[in-house]
Amino acid sequence: MRLLERMRKDWFMIGIVLAIAGAKLEPSIGVNGGPLKPEITVSYIAVATIFFNSGLSLKTEELTSALVHLKLHLFIQIFTLAFFPATIWLFLQLLSITPINEWLLKGLQTVGCMPPPVSSAVILTKAVGGNEGIVITPLLLLLFLGSSSSVPFTSIFSQLFMTVVVPLIIGQIVRRYIKDWLERKKPPFGAISSSVLLMIIYTTFCDTFSNPNIDLDKFSLVLILFIIFSIQLSFMLLTFIFSTRNNSGFTPADTVAIIFCSTHKSLTLGIPMLKIVFAGHEHLSLISVPLLIYHPAQILLGSVLVPTIKSWMVSRQKGVKLMRPTV
């Protein structure tokens, strides 16, 4: 099962590259008004499909039982949706004097505003990355980027409600009636969402490559790549330090959940949300680039660090057991 999940993630990252390459070769297919009609098929149908799919796959009963870890969830949400975006904003004040492309820097801020993944192998990630992100993320985007969004505030939330919240709720309702069938058949929810997401990425870059006024220098891209890896490693270290203090009250297993849930950002929620908040913006694809880099970066870092973190957790848990007095 883990092998299949790993293969799906690898193919998805390859798919991102192919989607961008396809947009470069033939952008006219996916531009607004083109054969794919992304202003309808992507903005409404594709986004709604992703969240209906999420509603079907989200195991509410597990999510409810996970909510008993209130302190853990509170820490993750405050770190993810308050500390993370605020720290990125302060960091970008320094980077604004550098020659890095300004739209890539704005994209870094959007990464900071994103919630953790809605759907993840870790049920705690599901619990902290649900509906709160749907409301708070666009508010954070408007707070930190303000006039960069060309869409009225009410329009953003009405479209978010219709294409994100409503399909998610409908998916949950449908799940109640076909739960046994879903458990038996185990439909490929991840593959479906990934395929639809690739379509959204493709059409986003079609708009970019059809606009001759947009240019992305390689120097900015390399620096953004380095900055993203540095941010992830720094924040993972910070969460480790915060959650392992003597008076933190977190177990080693809690620390592992905090490290990954607090620093991971949702591409599945992020790209459709950027498509809504920055609808019609000529630099949308450049704003999306940091999030597209952040996603494989978090998977790569996670894969590299999991053995070390697992070894630490096991050793700490053994230490706790040895310290317990025997009766």
Side-chain angles (χ1 to χ4, degrees):
M1 196 70 179
R2 288 181 180 177
L3 179 62
L4 289 174
E5 181 67 16
R6 179 62 185 271
M7 287 176 63
R8 186 182 70 80
K9 288 178 179 179
D10 290 343
W11 278 111
F12 179 63
M13 286 187 278
I14 294 171
I16 291 175
V17 175
L18 292 176
I20 295 173
K24 175 69 173 176
L25 290 172
E26 193 54 63
S28 60
I29 296 175
V31 296
N32 283 341
L36 282 181
K37 300 292 181 186
E39 61 273 18
I40 298 173
T41 56
V42 170
S43 297
Y44 294 95
I45 299 174
V47 176
T49 299
I50 284 177
F51 289 99
F52 174 74
N53 192 47
S54 293
L56 277 178
S57 62
L58 194 63
K59 297 181 179 179
T60 314
E61 62 278 7
E62 291 182 12
L63 189 152
T64 304
S65 64
L67 285 174
V68 297
H69 303 285
L70 183 60
K71 183 180 177 180
L72 177 63
H73 296 165
L74 189 61
F75 178 95
I76 292 172
Q77 294 215 31
I78 290 173
F79 189 94
T80 305
L81 297 172
F83 181 83
F84 201 126
T87 304
I88 293 294
W89 182 83
L90 289 172
F91 184 47
L92 291 182
Q93 304 314 299
L94 298 174
L95 292 179
S96 62
I97 62 175
T98 67
I100 300 176
N101 185 290
E102 66 170 310
W103 298 106
L104 290 180
L105 293 180
K106 290 182 185 295
L108 270 180
Q109 186 65 71
T110 67
V111 170
C113 296
M114 292 299 155
V118 174
S119 178
S120 171
V122 185
I123 189 61
L124 292 175
T125 305
K126 287 183 177 179
V128 299
N131 293 338
E132 295 88 345
I134 295 169
V135 176
I136 295 175
T137 294
L139 286 173
L140 290 173
L141 290 172
L142 293 169
L143 173 65
F144 289 110
L145 299 174
S147 59
S148 296
S149 175
S150 57
V151 182
F153 185 83
T154 53
S155 177
I156 290 171
F157 275 91
S158 62
Q159 189 170 348
L160 281 171
F161 182 76
M162 292 305 299
T163 59
V164 176
V165 179
V166 171
L168 197 64
I169 293 172
I170 292 174
Q172 280 283 278
I173 294 171
V174 172
R175 178 180 173 80
R176 292 181 63 184
Y177 293 97
I178 61 170
K179 179 182 171 183
D180 292 339
W181 181 84
L182 290 173
E183 293 297 328
R184 286 198 314 272
K185 298 296 184 180
K186 300 188 183 302
F189 293 117
I192 294 169
S193 290
S194 295
S195 300
V196 177
L197 196 56
L198 288 175
M199 178 185 172
I200 297 174
I201 294 169
Y202 168 73
T203 57
T204 298
F205 279 85
C206 281
D207 285 333
T208 297
F209 293 127
S210 65
N211 187 341
N213 298 321
I214 295 179
D215 182 41
L216 175 60
D217 61 287
K218 293 178 181 178
F219 173 74
S220 293
L221 195 58
V222 171
L223 280 180
I224 288 294
L225 185 64
F226 173 76
I227 289 168
I228 284 173
F229 273 97
S230 300
I231 287 172
Q232 286 199 41
L233 283 171
S234 300
F235 281 1
M236 289 176 86
L237 179 60
L238 270 178
T239 54
F240 178 80
I241 293 171
F242 289 157
S243 60
T244 53
R245 291 177 304 168
N246 291 333
N247 59 348
S248 70
F250 293 122
T251 66
D254 290 340
T255 295
V256 173
I258 286 170
I259 289 172
F260 290 113
C261 295
S262 298
T263 58
H264 279 208
K265 295 294 183 177
S266 174
L267 184 69
T268 305
L269 178 59
I271 292 296
M273 190 170 290
L274 290 180
K275 194 80 175 176
I276 294 170
V277 175
F278 295 96
H281 201 294
E282 65 174 351
H283 293 98
L284 172 59
S285 61
L286 295 186
I287 295 172
S288 306
V289 165
L291 185 57
L292 291 173
I293 294 174
Y294 197 97
H295 177 75
Q298 69 189 14
I299 293 172
L300 178 61
L301 281 176
S303 300
V304 170
L305 294 175
V306 157
T308 303
I309 293 174
K310 184 178 180 180
S311 176
W312 170 84
M313 184 184 73
V314 171
S315 65
R316 283 294 295 269
Q317 287 175 334
K318 286 181 179 177
V320 170
K321 288 179 181 178
L322 289 173
M323 289 174 65
R324 288 175 181 169
T326 55
V327 179

